[in-house]
Amino acid sequence: MVCAVTLLVAYFNKARCAGAPFEESGRSTIFDTIKDSHVCYSDIQFLWLGRDINEHVFPYLSGGITPDGALTGGAVEYPVLSGLFMWLGAIGADNDAAFLLHSALLLAPFALLTAYMLGKLAGRAALLWAAGPPLILYAFHNWELPVVCTAVGAVYVVTTMTRYSLRARGIAAAVLLGIGFCLKLYPGIFVLPLLLHVLVGEPTVECRGETPPGVHSRHFDVRGALAVAATAVVTVVLINLPFALAGFQGWRASITFQELRQADITTNSIWYWGLRPLFGNSPESEATFQNVVSAASPLLILAAFVLAAWLGWRRYVLTGVYPWVGVSGAMLCGFLLLHKVHSPQYTLWLIPFLVLLEVPWSLIGVYLLADAAIGIGVFRYFYALGSGRSADLQENVVQFGVWGRAMLLVVFFFVFVRAKSRGIIDTTRELEQPPQPVLAYSAL
């Protein structure tokens, strides 16, 4: 119920930018005038034009991308299921206000389902999702709510449906993560910690035969781990294959668009605000900067993933439990920190981990403050730049948000791996008596 009220506030916040009179294209005439000054901009309303959504063209089957990165025809920059949501939201709409409303109606149930699952998993801490500022700022900024729902759904399945085997739960969760990958990619990175969790299994205390009390006899479920990986891959292939076969150029354009996207003033990344000032202002310097980011960003993200998985394995050796949820959160922190794009709405990806894991509330409060500096300050910054006024104050606010988030993401990276669950239902909590160094392993 709280989440439903928050969603109403979130919708009316964005709807301030939409409404009659409309241009011939269906664009609200007030959108370009107040979207930054009133902080009511949304990608949903903005993308009514430029992707043939207003023409009700089914995505990916036509169009492509130009050499300079401009999408044409029915191509959109998101994975196929997000593109499908964009098309569905446009059905029956002939202007951007109707498109925003229809899209909000499509997306809202996923926020409500996420609130329900988080409430079951973590109790009152779920109010951070249901009533927190990020949901007001970003619920209808972009198409994030379905993908967050799939990620939380994977945790929910593994954690609560204990009447089924861990292998079965892992496979079901892999399907959800595969679907999430086809919405916004990031849930796909959680497949690695999930399969490691299935590989080592859940802790059981054997006190029979030659196994001493308190010592954990562990059988590696290699087949289960492989099944989790295979399920995720097959899910992604089955969803993408029809689009790739029906319109390969339009489907491939979404991938090429992200490859060509640059770290600029709109990306809110540490690369632009931290590394860019070290280069000159010439076109050659800009090209060099972009090449460095394009090479360094994926390599460092991969290194962060490996580090998170290794830290999780160390926790497993010490405690007998592989903290797959915490490792997933740490991997997400590495991605958000080091990716060349850090859009404000990505905070919605992180909030569930702050709900599920025992993170100090003081750190959460500071992170929300830094996030608000970006979610609000960056649009006021654009407004100041566009109006020709001094933007020093707004730039300082944005920089506080960029570096505040960055520092806390580093902290969260390590805190998540060690954190216990907030919830009553908990399959990731450390054992009350940590196992002795003697462990018995057998591989299938």
Side-chain angles (χ1 to χ4, degrees), residues 56-77:
H56 306 284
V57 174
F58 195 84
Y60 308 105
L61 302 189
S62 62
I65 189 168
T66 63
D68 60 352
L71 294 169
T72 62
V76 298
E77 56 265 54

Side-chain angles (χ1 to χ4, degrees), residues 180-197:
F181 182 86
C182 297
L183 285 160
K184 281 296 179 75
L185 300 185
Y186 84 90
I189 67 180
F190 304 156
V191 173
L192 174 60
L194 174 62
L195 72 85
L196 289 174
H197 178 56

Side-chain angles (χ1 to χ4, degrees), residues 206-284:
E206 301 278 347
C207 296
R208 299 186 296 273
E210 299 180 356
T211 306
V215 176
H216 295 260
S217 179
R218 189 58 57 84
H219 300 274
F220 283 157
D221 186 5
V222 176
R223 293 180 181 176
L226 293 176
V228 167
T231 299
V233 171
V234 169
T235 300
V236 172
V237 170
L238 289 178
I239 292 174
N240 280 272
L241 190 59
F243 292 91
L245 293 177
F248 180 79
Q249 294 301 325
W251 172 80
R252 183 66 177 82
S254 64
I255 302 172
T256 305
F257 180 91
Q258 298 300 333
E259 292 173 348
L260 295 177
R261 189 169 183 184
Q262 298 185 337
D264 56 30
I265 196 172
T266 68
T267 59
N268 309 300
S269 69
I270 61 172
W271 298 106
Y272 178 80
W273 290 104
L275 187 63
R276 182 64 186 86
L278 302 180
F279 291 75
N281 296 321
S282 66
E284 294 78 12

Side-chain angles (χ1 to χ4, degrees), residues 138-408:
Y138 313 127
F140 306 119
H141 186 93
N142 199 287
W143 292 266
E144 310 299 333
L145 296 178
V147 66
V148 176
C149 188
T150 61
V152 174
V155 178
Y156 185 83
V157 166
V158 173
T159 304
T160 65
M161 298 186 177
T162 53
R163 61 183 177 275
Y164 301 103
S165 69
L166 178 60
R167 182 189 293 187
R169 284 178 277 143
I171 291 173
V175 172
L176 290 171
L177 295 178
I179 293 172
F181 182 86
C182 297
L183 285 160
K184 281 296 179 75
L185 300 185
Y186 84 90
I189 67 180
F190 304 156
V191 173
L192 174 60
L194 174 62
L195 72 85
L196 289 174
H197 178 56
V198 172
L199 175 68
V200 302
E202 293 170 330
T204 57
V205 179
E206 301 278 347
C207 296
R208 299 186 296 273
E210 299 180 356
T211 306
V215 176
H216 295 260
S217 179
R218 189 58 57 84
H219 300 274
F220 283 157
D221 186 5
V222 176
R223 293 180 181 176
L226 293 176
V228 167
T231 299
V233 171
V234 169
T235 300
V236 172
V237 170
L238 289 178
I239 292 174
N240 280 272
L241 190 59
F243 292 91
L245 293 177
F248 180 79
Q249 294 301 325
W251 172 80
R252 183 66 177 82
S254 64
I255 302 172
T256 305
F257 180 91
Q258 298 300 333
E259 292 173 348
L260 295 177
R261 189 169 183 184
Q262 298 185 337
D264 56 30
I265 196 172
T266 68
T267 59
N268 309 300
S269 69
I270 61 172
W271 298 106
Y272 178 80
W273 290 104
L275 187 63
R276 182 64 186 86
L278 302 180
F279 291 75
N281 296 321
S282 66
E284 294 78 12
S285 298
E286 177 65 22
T288 301
F289 164 69
Q290 297 298 340
N291 290 334
V292 169
V293 173
S294 296
S297 176
L299 289 176
L300 290 175
I301 289 173
L302 181 60
F305 290 172
V306 172
L307 176 60
W310 177 73
L311 291 173
W313 190 264
R314 288 188 61 188
R315 295 299 299 170
Y316 161 70
V317 171
L318 292 173
T319 67
V321 178
Y322 190 82
W324 82 277
V325 176
V327 171
S328 297
M331 294 173 73
L332 178 60
C333 288
F335 178 83
L336 294 177
L337 176 67
L338 299 168
H339 190 46
K340 59 186 176 181
V341 179
H342 191 164
S343 297
Q345 71 271 13
Y346 292 174
T347 297
L348 292 177
W349 303 359
L350 188 67
I351 292 296
F353 292 100
L354 300 178
V355 172
L356 294 170
L357 300 171
E358 289 184 353
V359 179
W361 287 104
S362 57
L363 293 179
I364 294 174
V366 176
Y367 184 84
L368 293 180
L369 181 62
D371 176 71
I374 289 291
I376 298 173
V378 73
F379 295 106
R380 296 294 302 176
Y381 179 50
F382 293 156
Y383 171 67
L385 291 175
S387 63
R389 302 175 183 176
S390 172
D392 292 343
L393 174 61
Q394 292 84 350
E395 181 176 330
N396 289 334
V397 171
V398 171
Q399 293 235 31
F400 166 77
V402 169
W403 297 112
R405 287 191 314 183
M407 289 186 291
L408 283 166

